[in-house]
Amino acid sequence: MFRIRILRQRQDNYSYLIQSGQQVWCIDPAEAQPVLQLLQRERLQLVAILNSHAHADHCGANLSLQQASGCPIFGADRRIPGLTTELTTTAQDAALPFRALFTPGHTRGDCCYLLTDGVETPALFSGDCLFIGGCGRLFEGSAAQLYQSLQQFNTLPDHCQLYCGHDYALDNYRFASRLLPDCREIRHQLQHYEERQRQGQPSVPAQLGDERRANPFLRCHQAALAQVLGCPAAAPVEVFRRLRLAKDQA
């Protein structure tokens, strides 16, 4: 069985260690020292690094960790420091217990990682593609690209656990509650994450089913959201584009 360990890094980043026995896989390490200290303290072996994209707050520790361990580095963007295996499509790599999902939009080389074997519930590591209550900004890709990337998650079960790259839950659900103040699901999520913050708990993991019911970026097919955004007859991808723009300007 795999154990998922959450590491808070920088101001609001999440990095993850996926542990099986004394072996660990590290997802999106921003800072090397906390990872190295944990590896040394618990005598763990770093098997591989997996990066969701090439932004420094998700791969800033790559070279230090690679130098210390000799581990390979996986990702879908050649700009990732120390990259040894480029994941160019949605596929299962034989060297990984994860399935890579190619999800461009936030950047042109984004990918997410899905873990289904060796865990009680499936786990999606979504980087900056999908957040609790939100989604990533469009730095290099288009709204249509990110919208289509998010559709890949439609086949995942509601009980799938979401582990995203930043702790933006409160900010995202405060925006959502201003947009749709009468939505019971959004109010419930906002209260839930306010309580988690009061208790000093991380916002991750979230259940994908809860996100489908409350996260406005996963509800662009609903008429109420299109109406609020002033495009009642628009296709969901246009609703998504307007929603992302509204969040950028909030």
Side-chain angles (χ1 to χ4, degrees), residues 221-237:
H221 58 285
Q222 295 184 349
L225 184 58
Q227 186 73 39
V228 166
L229 292 169
C231 53
V237 66

Side-chain angles (χ1 to χ4, degrees), residues 74-94:
F74 295 80
D77 193 324
R78 294 178 183 178
R79 297 171 294 181
I80 292 172
L83 185 72
T84 57
T85 302
E86 184 180 3
L87 304 169
T88 56
T89 59
T90 294
Q92 180 86 41
D93 190 285

Side-chain angles (χ1 to χ4, degrees), residues 230-248:
C231 53
V237 66
E238 173 61 16
V239 176
F240 180 86
R241 186 190 70 81
R242 293 195 183 200
L243 178 61
R244 184 61 263 177
L245 183 61
K247 182 64 171 69
D248 292 343

Side-chain angles (χ1 to χ4, degrees), residues 5-236:
R5 305 179 70 167
I6 302 165
L7 297 180
R8 294 181 185 266
Q9 301 214 309
R10 295 196 173 185
Q11 183 176 353
D12 52 33
N13 277 78
Y14 286 128
S15 178
Y16 302 99
L17 290 179
I18 318 304
Q19 181 177 349
S20 177
Q22 295 304 109
Q23 295 185 321
V24 293
W25 291 257
C26 186
I27 296 178
D28 281 352
E31 299 172 318
Q33 202 58 33
V35 178
L36 291 171
Q37 289 174 347
L38 190 149
L39 295 177
Q40 183 177 21
R41 184 172 64 248
E42 301 189 16
R43 298 182 180 180
L44 301 174
Q45 176 194 2
L46 182 58
V47 177
I49 293 170
L50 298 89
N51 294 122
S52 62
H53 59 292
H55 286 168
D57 60 333
H58 292 261
C59 59
N62 277 18
L63 296 181
S64 295
L65 293 176
Q66 189 178 52
Q67 183 178 16
S69 66
C71 72
I73 297 175
F74 295 80
D77 193 324
R78 294 178 183 178
R79 297 171 294 181
I80 292 172
L83 185 72
T84 57
T85 302
E86 184 180 3
L87 304 169
T88 56
T89 59
T90 294
Q92 180 86 41
D93 190 285
L96 294 173
F98 305 86
R99 183 181 179 214
L101 306 175
F102 187 51
T103 53
H106 177 63
T107 70
R108 64 177 183 265
D110 264 53
C111 80
C112 302
Y113 298 96
L114 179 64
L115 183 63
T116 57
D117 296 330
V119 286
E120 292 184 359
T121 57
L124 176 66
F125 300 89
S126 61
D128 288 3
C129 176
L130 176 64
F131 293 127
I132 297 173
C135 74
R137 287 178 176 266
L138 300 171
F139 283 103
E140 296 175 345
S142 67
Q145 278 184 310
L146 185 52
Y147 176 80
Q148 289 301 324
S149 291
L150 293 173
Q151 304 318 299
Q152 295 187 57
F153 307 148
N154 288 344
T155 59
L156 301 180
D158 279 351
H159 65 277
C160 180
Q161 301 289 294
L162 175 65
Y163 294 88
C164 53
H166 290 272
D167 189 356
Y168 292 161
L170 269 181
D171 178 71
N172 285 337
Y173 274 119
R174 284 168 179 158
F175 167 76
S177 68
R178 294 193 298 270
L179 194 70
L180 296 167
D182 297 327
C183 179
R184 181 179 59 186
E185 290 82 5
I186 289 174
R187 290 200 305 269
H188 173 79
Q189 290 294 88
L190 179 57
Q191 292 167 0
H192 172 71
Y193 289 109
E194 286 174 339
E195 180 60 25
R196 289 188 72 85
Q197 185 184 65
R198 281 193 291 268
Q199 294 178 2
Q201 296 178 342
S203 58
V204 292
Q207 283 207 346
L208 195 53
D210 291 336
E211 289 301 297
R212 287 181 175 131
R213 288 183 287 272
N215 185 334
F217 289 92
L218 299 182
R219 300 174 57 193
C220 291
H221 58 285
Q222 295 184 349
L225 184 58
Q227 186 73 39
V228 166
L229 292 169
C231 53

